[in-house]
């Protein structure tokens, strides 16, 4: 079975995370991705992290660049820029995340590229978009976590703002860009027309935060911070400490779930107690409800609660660190990771990266070549370009 994007070629001028993550998702769906990097150091993500042994092939770089091809071109040099233009002319998609205006000065902006490839799907990724008064503001992940309001949502009232502990804005922006590109490719299939997609980290973040932003837009009131209590605000949807000191996250938000919980805990007396009568009563007596529930949950270890409650249909999960979560994924056996062999890594050659995040009966699992070394595929790309020229001339 063919992958959905087989036959699609992407010219990837992006670097660090949001753009490369977008093209990584396209690669996982079968697209060929030509990574056009600056000579010398290439994508700055190649050297991310504190362990200098991984320079050139940092784990963060591996995460979003497996299976791509690399060519290093100095876009300020006319001859090398012309080579980049030749590559773009043979591609279906272009992705770039320079500061707005930069790629136009390099004569590779949308209007210039349309002359080379009229039906190009051209995706520009930036902090605040290609238009508007914030256009020239520089931005990286933690900056947009701040300006979008994301940092203000976590924690309890009175706590200082806190960033999400991974580059969530970069990742969700890359996912938004991939989604936009897929839509534009489908439209092109129907109309023959390309498009210029303007994907802003700020816009993507607010869209991602719809469950927090729209209540404000509707009511005029900002959501209150609720710490580890769930979106429902109910005291039975929160974090609790088990007997072994490990924490579990409970998600009892519906009445039938509470009834099952009370019976599992052998506290059927709660079902006759007005304080526990319904979600509104439990919310009104949140402190008392939480204290009684906490006392019950301290009677067993976290893993025991997770098993017992999940079996009973009660949403419950033990708080894990990343290594434990990876082990759980392996136990689930859903092929959520892809093995990649990268010769010369400091600790081991056989590693894994994350897959596309879903399964589909008609989309086979894919294997990937290792991420490219800088300029590794120059001859291969030049050969491909020559073959394309010859085919066009025939």
């Amino acid at each position: 079975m063919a992958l959905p994007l087989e036959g699609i070629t992407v010219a990837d001028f992006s670097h660090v995370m949001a753009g490369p993550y977008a093209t990584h998702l396209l690669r996982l769906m079968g697209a060929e991705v030509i990574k056009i990097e600056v000579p010398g150091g290439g994508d700055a993500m190649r050297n991310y992290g504190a362990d200098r042994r991984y320079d050139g092939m940092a784990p963060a770089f591996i995460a979003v660049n497996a299976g791509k091809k690399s060519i290093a071109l100095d876009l300020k040099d006319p001859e090398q820029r012309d080579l980049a233009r030749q590559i773009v002319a043979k591609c279906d998609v272009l992705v770039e995340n320079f500061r707005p205006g930069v790629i136009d000065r390099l004569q590779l902006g949308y209007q210039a590229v349309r002359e080379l490839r009229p039906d190009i799907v051209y995706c520009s990724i930036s902090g605040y978009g290609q238009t508007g008064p914030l256009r020239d503001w520089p931005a990286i992940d933690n900056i947009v976590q701040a300006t979008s309001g994301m940092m203000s949502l976590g924690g309890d009232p009175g706590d200082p703002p806190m960033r999400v502990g991974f580059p969530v804005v970069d990742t969700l922006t890359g996912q938004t860009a991939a989604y936009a590109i897929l839509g534009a490719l489908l439209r092109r299939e129907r109309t023959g027309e390309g498009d210029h997609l303007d994907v802003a980290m700020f816009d993507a973040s607010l869209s991602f935060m719809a469950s927090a932003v729209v209540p404000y837009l509707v009511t005029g009131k900002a959501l209150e911070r609720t710490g580890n209590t769930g979106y429902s605000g109910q005291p039975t949807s929160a974090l609790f400490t088990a007997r072994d000191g490990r924490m579990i996250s409970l998600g009892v938000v519906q009445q039938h779930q509470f009834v099952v919980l009370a019976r599992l805990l052998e506290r059927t007396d709660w079902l006759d107690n007005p304080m526990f009568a319904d979600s509104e009563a439990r919310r009104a007596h949140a402190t008392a409800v939480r204290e009684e529930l906490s006392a019950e949950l301290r009677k067993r270890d976290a893993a025991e609660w997770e098993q017992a409650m999940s079996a009973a249909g009660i949403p419950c999960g033990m708080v894990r660190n990343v290594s434990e979560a990876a082990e759980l994924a392996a136990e689930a056996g859903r092929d959520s990771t892809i093995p990649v062999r990268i010769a010369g890594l400091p600790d081991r050659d056989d590693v894994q990266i994350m897959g596309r995040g879903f399964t589909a009966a008609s989309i086979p699992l894919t294997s990937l070549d290792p991420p490219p070394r800088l300029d590794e595929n120059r001859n291969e790309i030049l050969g491909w370009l020559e073959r394309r020229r010859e085919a066009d001339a025939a």
Side-chain angles (χ1 to χ4, degrees):
M1 291 183 288
L3 291 168
L5 295 183
E6 283 186 13
I8 296 295
T9 306
V10 180
D12 185 3
F13 290 85
S14 67
H15 53 282
V16 186
M17 180 58 77
Y21 185 63
T23 56
H24 171 63
L25 295 177
L26 301 179
R27 180 70 190 95
L28 290 177
M29 297 292 277
E32 190 74 30
V33 179
I34 299 174
K35 188 174 180 68
I36 299 164
E37 302 185 71
V38 296
D43 186 341
M45 188 68 88
R46 288 182 175 277
N47 303 319
Y48 261 44
D51 191 339
R52 299 277 65 86
R53 297 179 304 155
Y54 284 90
D55 278 358
M57 197 60 68
F61 179 81
I62 293 170
V64 294
N65 287 287
K68 298 179 183 180
K69 310 293 185 184
S70 172
I71 185 170
L73 296 174
D74 181 357
L75 299 179
K76 295 179 181 179
D77 178 273
E79 289 187 8
Q80 295 188 55
R81 181 170 60 240
D82 183 62
L83 180 54
R85 288 168 61 85
Q86 293 176 49
I87 292 171
V88 167
K90 305 302 180 185
C91 289
D92 302 279
V93 178
L94 184 151
V95 178
E96 62 91 8
N97 63 349
F98 293 102
R99 292 270 295 274
V102 170
I103 202 161
D104 290 295
R105 294 195 292 273
L106 294 170
Q107 301 173 31
L108 285 163
Y110 177 59
Q111 294 304 326
V113 168
R114 277 191 70 189
E115 296 178 5
L116 304 171
R117 179 74 189 250
D119 65 348
I120 192 83
V121 172
Y122 190 111
C123 182
S124 295
I125 301 173
S126 63
Y128 298 94
Q130 303 298 306
T131 62
L134 309 184
R135 173 181 184 267
D136 295 321
W137 285 17
I140 60 173
D141 180 274
N142 62 294
I143 302 303
V144 180
Q145 284 200 38
T147 59
S148 67
M150 189 179 295
M151 281 188 183
S152 72
L153 294 174
D156 292 303
D159 284 353
M162 181 63 68
R163 66 175 286 274
V164 178
F166 70 100
V168 61
V169 169
D170 279 339
T171 308
L172 68 89
T173 301
Q175 196 166 57
T176 301
Y179 155 67
I181 291 166
L182 290 175
L185 285 171
L186 179 59
R187 176 178 176 272
R188 188 180 77 171
E189 195 72 20
R190 294 171 172 171
T191 68
E193 299 175 354
D195 206 349
H196 185 193
L197 308 171
D198 180 359
V199 180
M201 297 165 70
F202 185 75
D203 297 346
S205 297
L206 291 176
S207 179
F208 183 73
M209 294 158 53
S211 58
V213 178
V214 173
Y216 166 75
L217 296 176
V218 172
T219 68
K221 297 179 181 178
L223 288 183
E224 294 184 3
R225 300 166 76 182
T226 58
N228 286 315
T229 299
Y231 186 65
S232 67
Q234 295 190 36
T236 51
S237 179
L239 282 186
F240 297 90
T241 303
R243 179 176 61 190
D244 57 356
R246 297 292 300 266
M247 301 195 80
I248 59 171
S249 182
L250 200 61
V252 175
V253 297
Q254 300 178 37
Q255 185 62 21
H256 76 273
Q257 293 171 335
F258 179 75
V259 172
V260 174
L261 176 68
R263 289 172 178 163
L264 179 67
L265 297 179
E266 299 181 349
R267 290 299 307 267
T268 54
D269 58 298
W270 287 351
L271 303 179
D272 299 318
N273 186 335
M275 189 172 71
F276 293 87
D278 55 32
S279 60
E280 291 304 315
R282 292 191 290 272
R283 190 180 289 112
H285 300 90
T287 300
V289 169
R290 188 187 298 273
E291 288 176 355
E292 290 213 31
L293 184 53
S294 293
E296 295 299 326
L297 294 177
R298 284 194 291 269
K299 294 178 180 179
R300 297 172 71 176
D301 291 349
E304 294 179 58
W305 283 128
E306 182 178 60
Q307 290 289 335
M309 291 193 185
S310 295
I314 300 169
C316 173
M318 185 169 70
V319 176
R320 288 172 167 80
N321 60 33
V322 171
S323 63
E324 291 172 322
E327 291 169 5
L328 183 65
E331 291 173 16
R334 288 176 50 79
D335 297 311
S336 58
T337 60
I338 300 172
V340 179
R341 184 173 180 79
I342 308 174
L345 287 184
D347 297 314
R348 58 182 180 272
D349 292 347
D350 294 307
V351 298
Q352 294 184 338
I353 64 170
M354 299 310 302
R356 57 187 178 235
F358 68 90
T359 63
S362 61
I363 304 176
L365 295 171
T366 185
S367 59
L368 293 174
D369 291 332
R373 301 289 174 179
L374 179 62
D375 206 35
E376 178 180 344
N377 308 104
R378 171 176 288 271
N379 291 336
E380 180 182 349
I381 292 168
L382 294 180
W384 163 81
L385 193 56
E386 183 60 30
R387 291 191 297 274
R388 291 294 301 268
R389 289 198 200 98
E390 291 173 353
D392 290 344

